[in-house]
């Protein structure tokens, strides 16, 4: 009833970002009417010379630019502050953030803070992702970390949404398979959680469905063959599609739990989501290996059934369909060589991990992603999923 009531209310949908995608979409960069760029990049993009795809175009057209590459994974507060100070010093007329989720989050947070501290600072942000997973190039989210307190701080405001996004597959061609796997499963988790969210609407659902379909068709191809530029471009676009969907509809318990695995165990975000996903589907649907059929199910269980249908997994009844979906996710983890448990990662003993569970569960309970999960979860529920 709660979900149906939310879905019957008046809805709205807006998209601030102009998106350029497909072959040679980076060429659009020189058509933007700006002359002094501040480029925020993670170090790998610079050392691998991926950044030349941007700087060569700027050089050829006489554009000025300054590169800030002091970007850290899970961007700490201090690094963002350092970026803000450099922006104030340069006074650019446009920002470019190029890299993975950390570079994009650093750029988004830095622009927001620079504008907040100086009312006259109002320059556009051009997001150029080099991985296919976060969807940060179109979202109003940024996640900043506080290393001293082992916390990740999700920030959400419409002001964080970039004005432009450029999705060019040339930037993801060299992404290692392990990263392709992790980020690809992040795309799937974004799409699934936004699809079953209590704040989903017809537009966000259509985007979620398309992202799920693309992941089902192209993720394994993209993982197994870096030369498959078609598959890599499809996954690059799917990441953005899922980003638009979850920015509108929100996420759920999967991300609330994954944020703590990243903060406490430094597990890559997409990998944490992937390990949790089968267990979260079982929790949200109330269907596990021991379940029997019931006369009716909550609305969000039907949403999960529809996800299974999109992936070609329709089965005899609701229980077998949901079980097929869980089995398919576990199959994907095997195909992508992603560990299926924390123990399999070999980073912490079982005893040490279980001792951390209550603390992580308490932190996850405060995560804003829980607000749009289709099923209420308390601390015991979260602990059980972790275990």
């Amino acid at each position: 009833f709660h979900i149906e009531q939310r879905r019957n209310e008046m809805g709205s949908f807006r998209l601030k970002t102009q998106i350029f995608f497909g072959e040679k979409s980076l060429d659009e960069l020189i058509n933007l009417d700006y002359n002094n760029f501040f480029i925020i990049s993670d170090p790998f993009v610079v050392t691998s010379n991926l950044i030349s795809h941007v700087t060569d175009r700027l050089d050829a057209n006489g554009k000025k630019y300054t590169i800030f590459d002091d970007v850290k994974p899970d961007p700490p507060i201090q690094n963002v502050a350092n970026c803000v100070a450099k922006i104030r010093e340069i006074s650019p007329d446009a920002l470019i953030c190029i890299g993975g989720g950390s570079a994009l989050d650093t750029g988004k947070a830095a622009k927001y803070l620079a504008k907040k501290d100086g009312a006259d600072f109002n320059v556009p942000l051009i997001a150029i992702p080099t991985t296919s997973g976060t969807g940060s190039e179109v979202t109003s989210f940024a996640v900043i970390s506080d290393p001293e307190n082992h916390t990740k701080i999700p920030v959400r405001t419409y002001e964080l949404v970039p004005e432009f996004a450029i999705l060019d597959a040339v930037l993801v061609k060299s992404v290692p398979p392990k990263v392709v796997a992790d980020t690809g499963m992040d795309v799937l988790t974004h799409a699934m959680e936004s699809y079953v969210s209590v704040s989903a609407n017809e537009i966000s659902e259509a985007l979620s469905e398309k992202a799920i379909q693309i992941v089902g068709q192209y993720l394994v191809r993209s993982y197994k063959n870096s030369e498959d530029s078609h598959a890599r471009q499809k996954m690059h676009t799917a990441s953005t599609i899922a980003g638009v969907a979850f920015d509108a509809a929100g996420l759920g318990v999967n991300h609330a739990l994954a944020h703590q695995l990243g903060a406490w165990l430094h597990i890559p975000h997409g990998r944490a989501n992937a390990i949790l996903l089968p267990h979260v589907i079982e929790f949200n649907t109330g269907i596990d290996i021991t379940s029997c059929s019931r006369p009716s199910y909550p609305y969000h269980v039907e949403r999960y059934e529809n996800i299974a249908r999109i992936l070609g997994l329709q089965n005899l009844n609701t229980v077998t369909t949901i079980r097929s979906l869980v089995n398919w996710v576990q199959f994907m983890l095997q195909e992508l060589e992603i560990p299926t448990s924390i123990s399999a990662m070999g980073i912490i003993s079982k005893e040490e991990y279980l001792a951390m569970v209550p603390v992580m569960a308490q932190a996850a309970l405060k995560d804003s992603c829980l607000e749009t999960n289709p099923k209420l979860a308390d601390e015991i529920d979260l602990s059980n999923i972790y275990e």
Side-chain angles (χ1 to χ4, degrees):
F1 172 78
H2 169 66
I3 295 171
E4 289 295 341
Q5 184 183 50
R6 289 286 293 274
R7 289 170 58 85
N8 288 336
E9 294 175 355
M10 185 191 76
S12 66
F13 191 93
R14 59 179 176 174
L15 181 60
K16 173 182 177 182
T17 312
Q18 182 174 358
I19 304 169
F20 303 106
F21 60 98
E23 189 176 355
K24 296 183 178 179
S25 53
L26 273 167
D27 288 346
E28 294 295 331
L29 185 62
I30 62 177
N31 295 326
L32 300 177
D33 192 23
Y34 309 109
N35 296 299
N36 184 16
F37 294 89
F38 185 83
I39 302 174
I40 301 157
S41 169
D42 59 61
F44 173 77
V45 171
V46 175
T47 58
S48 65
N49 208 33
L50 267 178
I51 201 166
S52 65
H53 291 288
V54 169
T55 56
D56 286 354
R57 286 170 167 83
L58 298 181
D59 286 333
N61 289 271
K63 308 287 189 178
K64 290 175 57 180
Y65 59 85
T66 302
I67 298 173
F68 176 90
D69 63 355
D70 185 25
V71 170
K72 309 291 185 186
D74 300 320
I77 295 171
Q78 186 56 53
N79 284 88
V80 176
N82 293 343
C83 186
V84 172
K86 196 68 176 177
I87 290 172
R88 289 182 184 141
E89 178 186 329
I90 301 299
S91 295
D93 54 14
L95 305 180
I96 295 174
C97 48
I98 175 171
S102 294
L104 269 58
D105 278 2
T106 299
K108 290 164 67 174
K111 179 196 169 180
Y112 173 70
L113 292 175
K115 182 178 179 181
K116 189 174 182 181
D117 291 344
D120 58 338
F121 184 83
N122 189 24
V123 303
L125 179 64
I126 305 159
I128 308 177
T130 59
T131 58
S132 307
T134 67
S136 186
E137 64 275 5
V138 289
T139 71
S140 57
F141 288 91
V143 180
I144 307 302
S145 65
D146 179 358
E148 291 185 5
N149 295 303
H150 299 285
T151 59
K152 287 192 174 184
I153 308 165
V155 181
R156 186 177 190 184
T157 169
Y158 193 67
E159 293 182 59
L160 288 174
V161 181
E163 281 72 20
F164 302 96
I166 300 177
L167 316 175
D168 197 317
V170 70
L171 295 172
V172 294
K173 183 177 180 180
S174 61
V175 173
K178 183 176 180 180
V179 177
V180 171
D182 291 348
T183 56
M185 289 302 293
D186 199 17
V187 175
L188 180 66
T189 309
H190 289 156
M192 283 193 179
E193 288 209 289
S194 60
Y195 193 62
V196 302
S197 162
V198 296
S199 294
N201 56 57
E202 285 83 357
I203 299 175
S204 71
E205 286 176 353
L207 294 165
S208 299
E209 288 177 359
K210 188 61 180 178
I212 291 166
Q213 177 193 348
I214 293 173
V215 171
Q217 188 170 356
Y218 291 103
L219 176 53
V220 173
R221 274 179 55 177
S222 180
Y223 171 75
K224 293 185 178 294
N225 182 9
S226 64
E227 298 300 317
D228 191 341
S229 58
H230 181 66
R232 294 235 163 165
Q233 180 66 64
K234 286 288 189 180
M235 285 301 303
H236 211 35
T237 306
S239 174
T240 299
I241 294 171
V244 177
F246 86 74
D247 197 52
L251 293 165
V253 67
N254 213 113
H255 271 75
L257 296 169
H259 288 155
Q260 314 317 316
L261 292 179
W264 286 88
L265 299 178
H266 307 293
I267 298 173
H269 178 64
R271 180 157 297 209
N273 272 324
I275 295 172
L276 288 161
L277 187 54
H279 308 284
V280 169
I281 295 172
E282 289 184 339
F283 169 74
N284 275 342
T285 60
I287 294 173
D288 59 24
I289 198 168
T290 66
S291 297
C292 298
S293 291
R294 303 202 309 249
S296 62
Y297 294 89
Y299 178 81
H300 66 271
V301 177
E302 297 176 17
R303 296 283 84 195
Y304 278 111
E305 280 191 278
N306 207 38
I307 291 172
R309 281 192 286 271
I310 292 167
L311 294 168
L313 303 173
Q314 178 64 30
N315 217 294
L316 295 173
N317 55 42
T318 298
V319 170
T320 55
T321 298
I322 298 300
R323 294 307 307 161
S324 294
L325 178 59
V326 171
N327 291 339
W328 180 84
V329 173
Q330 292 170 331
F331 165 79
M332 288 292 286
L333 298 185
Q334 293 176 354
E335 285 289 291
L336 300 171
E337 299 178 275
I338 294 175
T340 57
S341 67
I342 303 298
S343 296
M345 297 187 71
I347 59 174
I348 189 172
S349 71
K350 181 177 180 180
E351 292 72 24
E352 290 173 316
Y353 173 73
L354 291 178
M356 295 172 66
V357 162
V359 179
M360 292 194 297
Q362 289 170 13
L365 197 60
K366 301 174 184 176
D367 194 294
S368 60
C369 290
L370 280 182
E371 295 174 7
T372 46
N373 196 67
K375 182 178 179 180
L376 294 176
D378 59 23
E379 188 177 328
I380 294 175
D381 294 324
L382 301 181
S383 295
N384 287 339
I385 297 172
Y386 274 138
E387 291 170 7

